[in-house]
Amino acid sequence: MSEEQEAGNDKLEIDNMYLCGSTFSRVSLKGASFTDSTLEDARLEDVNATGFIFENVNLTETKFHDVNMAQAHIDYANLTGVKITDANMTDTRIENVNLTGFHMSNVNLTGAEISNANLSDMKINGVSVEDMLALWKDTHGTA
């Protein structure tokens, strides 16, 4: 369905209905709202979901593959156990986040900046960051 094409007058209001196993192809759901609904095991494929809003949604065990999340905002999320691989996170901002036990490997940290962080027990290539910073302070001063 083309981007410019608007839905006709065929607006549906469906309440208390089971549509399990249904298939929707070339359908515009622009402005649609799903409330108190189960979309368990649903599949979105080749879909333009620009501006999609998830609020109070359980995405446990959800799989995102080949997804463009540029300019996405993730607030107040439980991302425990999330695995991110082969991702471009250029210019990503992570703020007020608990990264206890966080593990990164084979990452490009060019230009990365960490500030106002609790670095207790943090290691880079097995070396304590606190020890590195103490050595730097001892050899270069506090500046």
Side-chain angles (χ1 to χ4, degrees), residues 12-82:
L12 296 175
E13 291 192 23
I14 300 171
D15 184 36
N16 200 27
M17 173 129 351
Y18 294 93
L19 299 174
C20 301
S22 296
T23 300
F24 300 91
S25 300
R26 293 179 303 281
V27 173
S28 173
L29 292 174
K30 184 177 182 179
S33 178
F34 295 88
T35 305
D36 193 24
S37 299
T38 298
L39 298 175
E40 205 170 322
D41 297 325
R43 182 180 184 100
L44 298 176
E45 189 173 328
D46 195 21
V47 172
N48 180 354
T50 301
F52 214 88
I53 297 172
F54 292 97
E55 188 168 332
N56 195 23
V57 175
N58 181 351
L59 294 174
T60 302
E61 297 183 19
T62 298
K63 187 178 204 176
F64 294 95
H65 177 76
D66 196 18
V67 177
N68 180 351
M69 294 181 73
Q71 304 301 316
H73 296 261
I74 300 172
D75 300 310
Y76 306 104
N78 178 353
L79 300 176
T80 304
V82 168

Side-chain angles (χ1 to χ4, degrees), residues 55-122:
E55 188 168 332
N56 195 23
V57 175
N58 181 351
L59 294 174
T60 302
E61 297 183 19
T62 298
K63 187 178 204 176
F64 294 95
H65 177 76
D66 196 18
V67 177
N68 180 351
M69 294 181 73
Q71 304 301 316
H73 296 261
I74 300 172
D75 300 310
Y76 306 104
N78 178 353
L79 300 176
T80 304
V82 168
K83 182 178 181 183
I84 301 171
T85 56
D86 298 318
N88 180 354
M89 296 178 71
T90 302
D91 296 325
T92 297
R93 296 181 62 90
I94 299 174
E95 299 174 348
N96 196 28
V97 174
N98 181 350
L99 295 176
T100 302
F102 189 77
H103 175 81
M104 292 187 292
S105 64
N106 196 26
V107 296
N108 180 349
L109 295 173
T110 302
E113 182 178 324
I114 298 172
S115 60
N116 296 323
N118 180 345
L119 304 176
S120 300
D121 299 324
M122 181 180 171

Side-chain angles (χ1 to χ4, degrees), residues 129-139:
V129 171
E130 293 171 298
D131 292 346
M132 283 190 275
L133 293 174
L135 180 60
W136 174 267
K137 183 178 176 183
D138 289 346
T139 57

